[in-house]
Amino acid sequence: MKYPKKLREGAIIGLAAPSSPVSSERVMQCRAVLEAMGFKVIMADNLAVSKGGYMAGDEVCRAGWINKMFADKEVEAIFCIRGGDGGNRILDYIDLETIRENKKIFVGYSDVTSLHLLLNQECDLVTFHGPMVSSNMVEQFDEASKDAFFAALTAEEEYPYKVPKGFALGIGREGRAKGVLTGGNLTVLCASLGTSYEMDTAGKILFIEEIGEHIGNLDRHIYQLRNAGKLKETSGILLGQFARCDTDEEAYTIIDVVLEATEGLDIPVMYNVQSGHDFPMITLPMGAECTMDTGKRSILFSVVR
């Protein structure tokens, strides 16, 4: 898969809402934040539109703006304003040929996971599981998140995951693995199973994050991946943030669930990767070739354009 062109200073950014909307006031705050960074901004007209109370307009509108921004030669990068709900409803309306012909930076996470899978698997495009404008940049764009964001989007030959201070990588199972990075939000990944947009994990490194789930639901989702054959196909697993996810006992965690679900498989597992629904939010290039090494406690991405 190919990295898009590097983000340049003063670039024109397309601000999109493929899932849920924000308020009109928030839209203006998001624009101001990007302009303060020196960017020019083109905004979709559905950023503050609500359908059903949880989607930023209908499927044709939300997908249409993604298509327009990829087709627009002036737009150099597309940043999602937030995640939310309804992203999987627009997949049938995405113009894959336009995206293949106009590969560019695309950033988001959470419900945007379904679009990462689509663009990685169908368009051979590296996308970025990284900060969203309303969710991560308006009130709190911490230095670790900001540094990683710009480092990932301007990388030359390689992009190393730099461990934020106080968030050491953990080792669940030792080993070294290499493969294209796939994954994202656990609930959205499971929702892809059995569809024409199903996640492919064969020979890949699987990244997983989640928010606000009980350990029982996390367990159910992980074993859905296991029962679908998705875990045994992976070359390695990276566990991100599990923000506000409850457990019945502190002694039994998502790490235990994953290790049990992959017992007997030669799959290295690393955890405490700071990417997901919390701060710092470190950008990960989805679709890029990734090397994870528990001996070195390192995660390294190759940049190929």
Side-chain angles (χ1 to χ4, degrees), residues 90-298:
I90 74 172
L91 300 181
D92 285 346
Y93 301 91
I94 296 295
D95 186 344
L96 298 177
E97 191 55 39
T98 291
I99 295 171
R100 292 186 188 108
E101 294 175 358
N102 299 278
K103 294 178 178 178
K104 58 186 68 174
I105 292 166
F106 179 79
V107 187
Y109 67 96
S110 191
D111 197 54
V112 182
T113 292
S114 58
L115 284 167
H116 287 310
L117 293 179
L118 180 68
L119 302 187
N120 294 165
Q121 295 178 182
E122 299 297 331
C123 299
D124 195 37
L125 174 64
V126 171
T127 57
F128 298 91
H129 183 275
M132 294 185 287
V133 185
S134 177
S135 307
N136 304 91
M137 298 183 185
V138 175
E139 282 91 14
Q140 180 183 355
F141 199 18
D142 61 275
E143 287 304 312
S145 300
K146 185 183 298 184
D147 289 348
F149 179 72
F150 288 108
L153 272 53
T154 60
E156 294 284 356
E157 296 181 355
E158 61 183 28
Y159 166 61
Y161 172 85
K162 292 187 178 179
V163 178
K165 185 177 181 179
F167 295 96
L169 286 170
I171 309 302
R173 182 181 295 117
E174 294 184 354
R176 185 178 186 276
K178 190 174 185 179
V180 165
L181 185 69
T182 192
N185 179 261
L186 179 58
T187 297
V188 180
L189 296 178
C190 288
S192 78
L193 302 181
T195 74
S196 56
Y197 305 105
E198 181 168 307
M199 174 179 61
D200 174 19
T201 61
K204 299 179 180 180
I205 291 177
L206 176 61
F207 166 75
I208 300 170
E209 64 86 25
E210 190 53 273
I211 181 172
E213 291 284 359
H214 181 268
I215 187 67
N217 288 334
L218 297 174
D219 186 292
R220 187 177 298 110
H221 289 327
I222 291 295
Y223 272 80
Q224 184 180 4
L225 294 180
R226 172 192 164 96
N227 294 340
K230 298 301 178 181
L231 298 185
K232 69 180 180 181
E233 295 176 346
T234 65
S235 61
I237 296 176
L238 299 175
L239 299 179
Q241 295 164 337
F242 288 80
R244 301 192 294 281
C245 288
D246 298 328
T247 59
D248 290 329
E249 299 180 27
E250 290 185 4
Y252 192 71
T253 68
I254 182 62
I255 302 157
D256 298 302
V257 174
V258 170
L259 292 178
E260 290 173 2
T262 57
E263 188 173 1
L265 303 176
D266 186 21
I267 299 174
V269 176
M270 300 176 77
Y271 61 89
N272 208 31
V273 176
Q274 292 304 299
S275 192
H277 289 75
D278 212 339
F279 293 91
M281 202 310 182
I282 304 301
T283 302
L284 303 178
M286 309 306 293
E289 186 174 87
C290 174
T291 302
M292 57 180 289
D293 190 326
T294 64
K296 296 180 179 179
R297 290 183 181 264
S298 66

